[in-house]
Each structure stands twice: as C-alpha cells, then as structure tokens.
C-alpha cells in the first residue's frame, strides 16, 4: 500500500477517534448533540437496543447489529477479496515488468507505471480496492467502541452478559478467541500469497488480543462475529484448499517429486 495512503488513513482514524474521545465516558441518549453522537453513536446504540428488545439480551443485539453491518459492507469486502486474488495472479507479470524496466531513471519508470496500469486495467485489478473497506470500517468500529462505552456509562442501560462474558468488562478468554479467529481469517485469505502482507498474520491477532484484554467484551464480541463472517467469505471466494492443492509437488513415476 502506498505510504502516503497509509498516512492518510491513519490521520483519518486519529481524527475520528479524537472527535468523540472527550465524551466516551458520558451517558448517551437521543438528546446527545453533535454530528458524531447524532449520526454515528446514537444510531448504533438505538439499533442495538432495538434488537435487544427483539432477541432478549444486549449480546444478541450486538451480534445482530454486527451481522447487519457486515452484510451492508459485504459487496465492498467481496470486491476487495477478488481484487486481492487478481493482484496475486498478476504478480509473475509484475516481476517481469520490474525486470524489464529495472532502470531507475524517470523515463523508464514512467514506462513501467504506464504498462503496469495497463496490466491492472486489462486484468481487472484495482490496487486501491483494499483501502475503501478499511476507511468505511474505521468510523463504524470507533463508533461501536464509543457506543458500548457510553451505554456502559448510562445508568438506564445494563449490558448484562453473553454466555459467561460480562459485556461491560474485558475478557481475556474472548480476546484470545478474537485474536485466534483473526489469525485464521488471515491464513485463509490473500495475505497468504503476499510476502509483504504476511507480517499482518502475526501483528493483527496480537493487536486484537491486546485491545481485547482492556476493552469491554461487547466490542470483542463484535470482532469475533465479524471474523466468523470474514472466514466464511474467504472460504467461499478465495477457496484456500484449492490453492494448497495446486501448490503440492507433482510426483514422478519413481516416487520422487518434481521441483
């Protein structure tokens, strides 16, 4: 991913976080003012409360809202996964282009960029496709954190428990489950074929576990359910078992393996 784009995404995340951080420990209601409260936090809170009324507990309400959010974003996530898969398929051709235009002078690099973009267009690859879902999920995830935190600070709301996990308190067990689920999701997705993304396979699960052991279990539950949906998506679209079959060495008649 382009370094400038990473910086932009990081700045957006920080801006969104700071936009509501001064009120994260305050009660929330339909009277709360401000764009962040009116259009992000309160809609999430009221939707969770609605499904709590239908399903009986806030745990099931959070699961229902998580599923709805992921279904709304599913077209973008599918597009991201397919684009990542196509990106891996064109890697051999990109290597050849880099070899062809290995000179670092401006003219050569312009030709390289032109042919690379033509290749992307021909094969239906959008290098930026992976960024849009991230940008969309950031305000939702941060809004979810604020919604849970402020529900927890609203006397009229008792988050209760889901199974053995008090939703208002951190849970090491649920955090570890969320981290392991994230690892499985990355193992079954396009990160497996991209050496530059493989570091995420170890960094992301550890980061989620770290957050999970200090944040309310309600937010960790959101990660667990979201990762279950991502895993199903990877299995349907990316078919990791087919990838493993194609990577197995072909045995010769003598019982050896061709390299």
């Amino acid at each position: 991913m382009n370094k400038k784009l990473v910086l932009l995404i990081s700045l957006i995340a920080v801006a969104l976080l700071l936009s509501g951080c001064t009120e994260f420990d305050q009660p929330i209601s339909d009277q709360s003012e401000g764009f962040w409260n009116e259009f992000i936090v309160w809609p999430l809170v009221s939707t969770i409360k609605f499904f709590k009324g239908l399903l009986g507990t806030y745990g099931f309400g959070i699961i229902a809202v998580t599923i709805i959010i992921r279904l709304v974003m599913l077209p973008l996530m599918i597009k991201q996964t397919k684009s990542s898969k196509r990106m891996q398929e064109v890697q051999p051709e990109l290597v050849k282009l880099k070899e062809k235009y290995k000179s670092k002078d401006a003219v050569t690099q312009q030709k390289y960029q032109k042919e690379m973009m033509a290749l992307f267009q021909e094969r239906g690859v959008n290098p930026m496709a992976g960024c849009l879902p991230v940008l969309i999920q950031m305000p939702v995830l941060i809004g979810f954190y604020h919604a849970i935190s402020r529900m927890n600070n609203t006397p009229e709301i008792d988050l209760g428990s889901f199974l053995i996990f008090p939703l208002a308190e951190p849970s090491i067990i649920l955090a570890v489950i969320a981290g392991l689920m994230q690892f499985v999701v990355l193992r079954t997705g396009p990160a497996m074929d991209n050496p530059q993304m493989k570091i995420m396979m170890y960094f992301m699960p550890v980061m989620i576990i770290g957050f999970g052991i200090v944040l309310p279990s309600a937010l960790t539950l959101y990660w667990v359910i979201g990762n279950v949906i991502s895993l199903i998506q990877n299995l349907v679209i990316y078919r990791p078992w087919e990838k493993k079959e194609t990577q197995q060495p072909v045995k010769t008649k003598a019982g050896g393996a061709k390299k």
Side-chain angles (χ1 to χ4, degrees):
M1 189 183 294
N2 186 282
K3 290 183 179 180
K4 292 182 179 179
L5 186 59
V6 173
L7 178 60
L8 175 62
I9 293 174
S10 301
L11 290 174
I12 292 173
V14 171
L16 289 170
L17 181 60
L18 292 177
S19 66
C21 66
T22 57
E23 297 180 325
F24 77 95
D25 58 349
Q26 300 297 314
I28 185 70
S29 72
D30 57 356
Q31 302 300 314
S32 300
E33 298 179 350
F35 178 87
W36 182 253
N37 291 327
E38 294 179 23
F39 296 100
I40 302 292
V41 180
W42 178 247
L44 284 170
V45 171
S46 57
T47 307
I48 292 171
K49 291 175 68 176
F50 171 77
F51 280 103
K52 186 264 182 184
L54 287 180
L55 303 174
T57 69
Y58 279 109
F60 285 120
I62 290 170
I63 291 173
V65 173
T66 302
I67 292 172
I68 290 171
I69 290 172
R70 296 305 297 261
L71 287 177
V72 169
M73 293 192 297
L74 188 59
L76 285 174
M77 301 301 291
I78 290 174
K79 186 174 182 180
Q80 175 194 17
T81 304
K82 288 183 175 179
S83 181
S84 297
K85 187 176 181 180
R86 293 192 193 102
M87 178 67 81
Q88 298 309 315
E89 292 171 351
V90 302
Q91 283 301 313
E93 295 173 71
L94 287 176
V95 171
K96 291 180 181 178
L97 279 180
K98 287 181 180 179
E99 183 64 24
K100 179 180 178 181
Y101 297 107
K102 57 185 177 182
S103 176
K104 298 299 182 181
D105 64 275
V107 175
T108 302
Q109 287 303 302
Q110 285 179 359
K111 291 180 180 179
Y112 167 69
Q113 292 291 333
K114 185 177 180 180
E115 286 202 32
M116 181 178 65
M117 295 309 298
L119 175 64
F120 286 163
Q121 186 174 7
E122 177 186 346
R123 301 292 291 274
V125 175
N126 181 4
M128 308 299 292
C131 303
L132 188 57
V134 174
L135 289 173
I136 292 175
Q137 285 188 77
M138 277 184 178
V140 174
L141 183 59
I142 298 171
F144 221 95
Y145 164 65
H146 286 165
I148 298 303
S149 296
R150 297 186 66 178
M151 288 172 71
N152 198 31
N153 284 278
T154 302
E156 297 81 10
I157 298 176
D158 179 11
L159 290 176
S161 300
F162 178 74
L163 301 178
I164 62 171
F165 308 110
L167 293 175
E169 302 173 9
S171 169
I172 295 177
I173 296 174
L174 203 58
V176 171
I177 292 173
L180 291 176
M181 286 298 303
Q182 182 66 59
F183 180 76
V184 173
V185 168
L186 292 172
R187 286 281 297 180
T188 57
M192 278 296 295
D193 297 326
N194 190 335
Q196 295 178 341
M197 292 178 66
K198 281 190 176 181
I199 190 172
M200 293 175 56
M201 201 175 304
Y202 306 100
F203 174 73
M204 287 292 292
V206 172
M207 184 182 72
I208 286 179
I209 292 174
F211 282 131
I213 61 178
V214 297
L215 295 177
S217 296
L219 185 62
T220 314
L221 181 61
Y222 169 83
W223 280 328
V224 171
I225 302 303
N227 280 330
V228 169
I229 297 172
S230 295
L231 176 59
I232 295 171
Q233 173 188 307
N234 283 352
L235 295 177
V236 172
I237 298 175
Y238 204 69
R239 300 176 184 270
W241 61 88
E242 292 182 356
K243 187 92 180 152
K244 289 180 181 179
E245 288 177 0
T246 59
Q247 289 178 343
Q248 288 180 351
V250 179
K251 291 185 178 181
T252 63
K253 293 181 179 180
K258 291 182 179 180
K259 295 184 179 179

